[in-house]
Amino acid sequence: IRWKHYCATSIQAAWRGFVARRKLVGMRIADVLRAAEANHYDKLLYYFENFGDGIGNEADELGNNALHRASNGAAKRTVKLCLARGIDPNLYNGKGMTPLHLAMSTAKPERDAVAAYLMDHGSYIEAPDYDGNTPLLLAARLGRAAIAGHLLDRRADIHVRDFDGSTALQVAAIHEHVGTVRSLLDHGAPPDDAGADGITPLHEGVGRVNKGI
């Protein structure tokens, strides 16, 4: 009986220790990811130096690692730190987005600068998200005129099409993003390049509420 009691208490103690350690690790990872997204450089550096570079690849429930979270927060200093520590800029999160897609999607003030930095430091500029949007198509959809220009300056494919067969210029026209339409045209996007439905960007612009299209 004593032996059985000893075994039972030992197992319970080991389990409680495992649960406590697992909770502590989870709290640490959550703090790392918060630091990355909030641009807390010194805190993130502390974690890298004390727990190794691998901690930056630990992810949240949506598959976002430290670079994903830093990009989502348009946190340039922590983006730079994550890249310097070897985090792959082309990893997808659980929603099929790379750090570049996330940086483009945010409304934070440093968005354009962070996106450009990622482009210049290893981000694949033709990577499609799970919906088939390359960064250029996403820029057209979201109205990111400056980012579209950055992508085309780095030779992004101006003729790329989404799953529906629409070009970036068509997508920008459909969503009435005048600045992005102008940026695409300035970089040589053909206004008469028809989509799979036979409609050209010029046709898309006719009848739009925004007459600038």
Side-chain angles (χ1 to χ4, degrees), residues 55 59 114 157 171:
I55 197 167
V114 168
D157 182 6
V171 172

Side-chain angles (χ1 to χ4, degrees), residues 15-33:
W15 175 251
R16 286 194 295 269
F18 169 77
V19 171
R21 287 191 296 274
R22 187 175 180 182
K23 183 176 181 180
L24 182 62
V25 170
M27 291 171 63
R28 183 184 301 141
I29 292 169
D31 199 36
V32 168
L33 298 176

Side-chain angles (χ1 to χ4, degrees), residues 96-165:
M97 302 180 79
T98 68
L100 180 54
H101 290 114
L102 291 169
M104 294 173 59
S105 299
T106 187
K108 298 293 178 67
E110 291 295 312
R111 173 191 65 218
D112 295 356
V114 168
Y117 189 85
L118 286 166
M119 293 177 209
D120 291 335
H121 291 82
S123 287
Y124 179 45
I125 62 173
E126 302 296 347
D129 62 18
Y130 285 0
D131 293 320
N133 293 305
T134 66
L136 185 60
L137 287 167
L138 186 60
R141 189 174 302 280
L142 298 176
R144 308 299 195 231
I147 293 176
H150 291 325
L151 288 162
L152 292 168
D153 288 341
R154 291 160 178 80
R155 301 184 180 280
D157 182 6
I158 203 167
H159 301 290
V160 68
R161 295 172 182 268
D162 63 16
F163 286 161
D164 295 323

